[in-house]
Each structure stands twice: as structure tokens, then as C-alpha cells.
């Protein structure tokens, strides 16, 4: 159990995180920060006064706190509109920013299209962490995932094992779920990993996908696997299109908590993590989804897989996409 976990952003994912951290007893204190709702300067002053007193973070914390006697947990919950609720956090999970949302015509933006708005938010987040919990381990979830982690790293420069992004556990979970469904076996039996950036070029690695230790190709034919891999790459968008109001939020929260638990309980669990690479997979200075051992020091070790030539080429393409978004982020940061 940690002394304190800080949650940056108290929206859909932040809400599930707080609820699950309380339920699982992962920390003695949860601090949640979110500026919402923000007064609109064009509203009448009376309305602005009302909004100033409202707070999603304080409200969600109070809601969960009032349920603690029912679930039998003694935990402290602190919410704030500024970043003060993060004070003393040993681990922070960042979800601050806007999610993808279906447009009226049913289309939706790519994760990369969120960059301009979420980059500004990320600069505030970095300041908040710097001020209130500069030594906290960081798990970042906000999109575009790889470029936001990269930006936090540029601003905060923590030891490279103490900052990571969550996407691979979710993307691999999606891959595993689709394989389990098609093969009609337990999700527990399916082992699979998705590498690369958290975009539509992510790389589901068929050569390391197994059912109870047996290669997946023994169970599913080429056509089925190709369809599953294509669906995995677009799985985030599938949920965005269905929900209409935003993006997936329960599965991403559970995925981040699998990472958090590996750290909190020093499990040394191998999970796909968006980690800073310094030569592994031929990549330097970028955050990319790769398998890594997660333990009390965060990213303890990046594991290099033997990939087929096709998988290697797919990973190179995905990394090129990550680099492009990070270069765009760098250029935008000059203007902010
Ligand atoms: O696999 C993954 N990494 C992801 C990432 C899977 C699904 C969703 N993913 C991304 O997570 C998504 O594209 C978003 O960028 C984040 C958060 O998604 P969520 O669904 O929780 O979005 P919400 O409900 O809009 O919550 C975001 C909250 C919202 O309440 C804002 O008021 C708040 O962030 N926000 C801020 N919090 C702190 N500090 C600042 N500056 C701030 N600005 C907005």
C-alpha cells in the first residue's frame, strides 16, 4: 500500500481509477485534481460565481468517501481544482486532457489530432507535478499517448525508469480478448503483446501470441488472425464510435492499475509499457510501447523480442509515426 496516489484529471478514467484504488486499498490517501467545471467568461457573473464553487474532483472524492463505510475502507480522499491535492503523492496517474469524441456525422478525430489542446494541458500538469510531488513515479494515460509522455519527460526529466505511459496493456488486452473470443477459450489462457506507438499503426505481435503456451496459429487461421489484428489496431476508435460521448474508460483504468500494482507490490511483472528507449529496438530518445519488467523502481528492464522481418518493419513504421508526433509536439512547444 502506498501513502498516496495522485490522480491528475477526474473525468471518466480518473473516476474509475479513484473508485478502484479505494476498493483495492492501494493507497492510504488519494488526491484528485481537476479544474472542471471552468467558468465561462462570456457567462453572466452570477453564473460564473456558481461554477467557481463547483468541482468535479471534490465532488467525486466526496461521493467515493461517503461509500467507504459500505466497502469497509479507511482511506482519505482529497480533491482540488488546482494541483494542491497532489501534495506528497508517491505515484501520479495522468489523464488530463480531452478524449476523442464522435462528431455528429459519426466520424472522430485521430489521437494525434488531440495534440494541440492536450499539449497545453500537459504543460500545466508538468508544473503541478514539479510543485507538489516532484519525486512521484509517473504513469501517463492522456492522448496522444507517446507524445504526451515524451513532453512530460522533457519538462520534468525524471530518472527514465520513473516515467511511463499506459497503452500497451490496454491494446494487448483488446488483442487477447478478441483471440479468446474467436478461439472460445478463457481470456486467462491468451498471452499476447502489442508493440509500438498507441496509434493505428500499433503492432500486434502474432509470433508471441499464445494460447496456454501453444502458438495461436494452432487455433486460429490466417484470415481470422488478420481480422483480429486489424480490429485491435482500430479498437479504440470502435469504442469511440459506439459511445458517442468520449472514449473507452473502464479498460484503460484497469490497465493503468495493472501497471500501478506491479510497481506498488514490486511484482516484477512483464507488461507492455510505453518506456523511454535508449538504443533498444534501435530507437533512441523516444517513448514507445515495449515489454518491460515493472517493479518497485518502475521500469526495471526493457525486454527485446525476436521479431519476424514483417513485425520489425511494422514496428519501424509505428516508431516513425511516434517520432512525427513528437516532432510536432516539439515545434508546438516553441510557440507555447
Ligand atoms: O490507452 C490509453 N492511453 C488511452 C488514453 C485510452 C483511452 C483514453 N485515453 C486518453 O485519456 C483520452 O484520449 C484522454 O486524453 C485521456 C482521458 O480520458 P477520459 O475519458 O478520462 O477524459 P475526460 O473524461 O474528458 O477526463 C479528462 C479530464 C477532464 O475532467 C478535464 O476537466 C481534466 O481532464 N483536465 C485537467 N485535469 C488536470 N489539469 C488540467 N490542466 C486539466 N485540463 C483538463
Amino acid at each position: 500500500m502506498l501513502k498516496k496516489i495522485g490522480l491528475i484529471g477526474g473525468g471518466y478514467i480518473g473516476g474509475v481509477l479513484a473508485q478502484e484504488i479505494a476498493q483495492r486499498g492501494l493507497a492510504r490517501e488519494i488526491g484528485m485534481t481537476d479544474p472542471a467545471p471552468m467558468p465561462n467568461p462570456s457567462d453572466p457573473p452570477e453564473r460564473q460565481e456558481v461554477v467557481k464553487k463547483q468541482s468535479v474532483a471534490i465532488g467525486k472524492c466526496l461521493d467515493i468517501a461517503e461509500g467507504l463505510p459500505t466497502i469497509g475502507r479507511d482511506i482519505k480522499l482529497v480533491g482540488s481544482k488546482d494541483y494542491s491535492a497532489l501534495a506528497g503523492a508517491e505515484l501520479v496517474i495522468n489523464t488530463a486532457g480531452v478524449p476523442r469524441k464522435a462528431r455528429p456525422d459519426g466520424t472522430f478525430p485521430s489521437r494525434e489530432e488531440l495534440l494541440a489542446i492536450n499539449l497545453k494541458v500537459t504543460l500545466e500538469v508538468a508544473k503541478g507535478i514539479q510543485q507538489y510531488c516532484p519525486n512521484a513515479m509517473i504513469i501517463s494515460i492522456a492522448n496522444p499517448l507517446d507524445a504526451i509522455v515524451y513532453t512530460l519527460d522533457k519538462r520534468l526529466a525524471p530518472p527514465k525508469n520513473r516515467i511511463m505511459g499506459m497503452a500497451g496493456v490496454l491494446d494487448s488486452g483488446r488483442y487477447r480478448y478478441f483471440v479468446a473470443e474467436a478461439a472460445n477459450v478463457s481470456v486467462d489462457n491468451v498471452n499476447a503483446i502489442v508493440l509500438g506507438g498507441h496509434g493505428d499503426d500499433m503492432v500486434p505481435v502474432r509470433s508471441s501470441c499464445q494460447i496456454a503456451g501453444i502458438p495461436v496459429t494452432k487455433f486460429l487461421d490466417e484470415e481470422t488472425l488478420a481480422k483480429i489484428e486489424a480490429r485491435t489496431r482500430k479498437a479504440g476508435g470502435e469504442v469511440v464510435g459506439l459511445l458517442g460521448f468520449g472514449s473507452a474508460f473502464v479498460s484503460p483504468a484497469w490497465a493503468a492499475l495493472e501497471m500501478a500494482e506491479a510497481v506498488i507490490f514490486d511484482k516484477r511483472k512483464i507488461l507492455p509499457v510505453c518506456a523511454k528507449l535508449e538504443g533498444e529496438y534501435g530507437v533512441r530518445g523516444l517513448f514507445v510501447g515495449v515489454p518491460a519488467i515493472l517493479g518497485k523502481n518502475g521500469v526495471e528492464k526493457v525486454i527485446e523480442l525476436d521479431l519476424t522481418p514483417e513485425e520489425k518493419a511494422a514496428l519501424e513504421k509505428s516508431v516513425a509515426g511516434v517520432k512525427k508526433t513528437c516532432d510536432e509536439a516539439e515545434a508546438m512547444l516553441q510557440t507555447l
Side-chain angles (χ1 to χ4, degrees):
M1 194 186 228
L2 293 186
K3 279 198 202 111
K4 180 164 177 174
I5 297 178
L7 300 177
I8 311 178
Y12 282 101
I13 300 179
V16 178
L17 286 172
Q19 173 192 329
E20 287 283 326
I21 291 166
Q23 195 116 38
R24 301 182 193 192
L26 298 182
R28 269 176 230 113
E29 185 173 332
I30 298 171
M32 178 190 277
T33 166
D34 195 311
M38 282 173 265
N40 182 345
S42 58
D43 277 348
E46 319 81 76
R47 172 73 196 138
Q48 292 193 42
E49 282 311 307
V50 171
V51 173
K52 267 189 210 155
K53 291 190 196 110
Q54 296 172 332
S55 163
V56 161
I58 299 173
K60 284 201 183 180
C61 284
L62 184 60
D63 179 23
I64 295 170
E66 290 170 353
L68 293 177
T70 313
I71 61 164
R73 288 277 175 209
D74 286 300
I75 286 173
K76 192 173 165 196
L77 285 120
V78 215
S80 65
K81 289 190 93 158
D82 60 16
Y83 287 96
S84 60
L86 300 182
E90 293 160 291
L91 167 72
V92 290
I93 307 182
N94 171 40
T95 66
V98 294
R100 295 196 286 168
K101 194 173 168 180
R103 303 183 186 105
D105 65 359
T107 61
F108 46 84
S110 69
R111 296 177 179 92
E112 291 70 23
E113 285 173 74
L114 305 177
L115 182 64
I117 173 148
N118 284 354
L119 204 55
K120 280 192 198 138
V121 168
T122 303
L123 293 184
E124 288 170 27
V125 168
K127 266 195 220 151
I129 294 175
Q130 186 83 67
Q131 184 174 359
Y132 290 103
C133 52
N135 298 317
M137 173 107 46
I138 301 169
I139 299 178
S140 190
I141 303 184
N143 270 325
L145 191 270
D146 318 274
I148 297 297
V149 191
Y150 173 89
T151 305
L152 283 175
D153 181 62
K154 285 270 153 180
R155 289 292 148 138
L156 295 165
K160 72 167 181 170
N161 53 306
R162 296 184 62 81
I163 174 163
M164 64 197 98
M166 184 298 291
V169 176
L170 173 64
D171 298 328
S172 307
R174 287 168 168 160
Y175 189 23
R176 291 168 65 197
Y177 174 71
F178 299 147
V179 166
E181 196 184 31
N184 199 17
V185 298
S186 164
V187 290
D188 278 345
N189 281 145
V190 184
N191 218 321
I193 213 151
V194 175
L195 291 182
H198 183 52
D200 292 350
D201 287 332
M202 64 179 78
V203 187
V205 183
R206 192 184 300 182
S207 64
S208 66
C209 181
Q210 296 177 329
I211 298 182
I214 304 159
V216 69
T217 44
K218 279 259 179 206
F219 297 82
L220 300 175
D221 59 28
E222 162 67 35
E223 193 192 338
T224 309
L225 282 169
K227 270 194 197 142
I228 286 176
E229 287 152 12
R231 188 176 178 196
T232 300
R233 282 191 284 268
K234 304 255 182 199
E238 187 180 353
V239 177
V240 172
L242 286 165
L243 289 179
F245 62 80
S247 56
F249 57 99
V250 176
S251 49
W254 284 346
L257 289 173
E258 188 179 16
M259 293 168 66
E261 286 187 343
V263 172
I264 296 166
F265 301 117
D266 192 20
K267 288 191 180 184
R268 298 189 60 82
K269 194 172 192 176
I270 298 179
L271 292 171
V273 177
C274 177
K276 189 171 189 177
L277 299 187
E278 283 174 346
E280 301 93 335
Y281 293 91
V283 179
R284 204 164 279 283
L286 290 177
F287 282 79
V288 174
V290 290
I293 299 177
L294 283 194
K296 64 175 185 310
N297 300 309
V299 181
E300 307 268 359
K301 186 178 176 1
V302 168
I303 315 271
E304 290 201 67
L305 295 178
D306 292 329
L307 300 173
T308 64
E310 297 78 41
E311 289 164 351
K312 253 188 207 157
L315 182 61
E316 270 169 31
K317 184 174 175 214
S318 180
V319 170
V322 171
K323 178 157 189 338
K324 182 170 170 268
T325 316
C326 290
D327 287 346
E328 277 166 31
E330 287 276 10
M332 280 181 200
L333 285 169
Q334 308 299 323
T335 65
L336 294 176

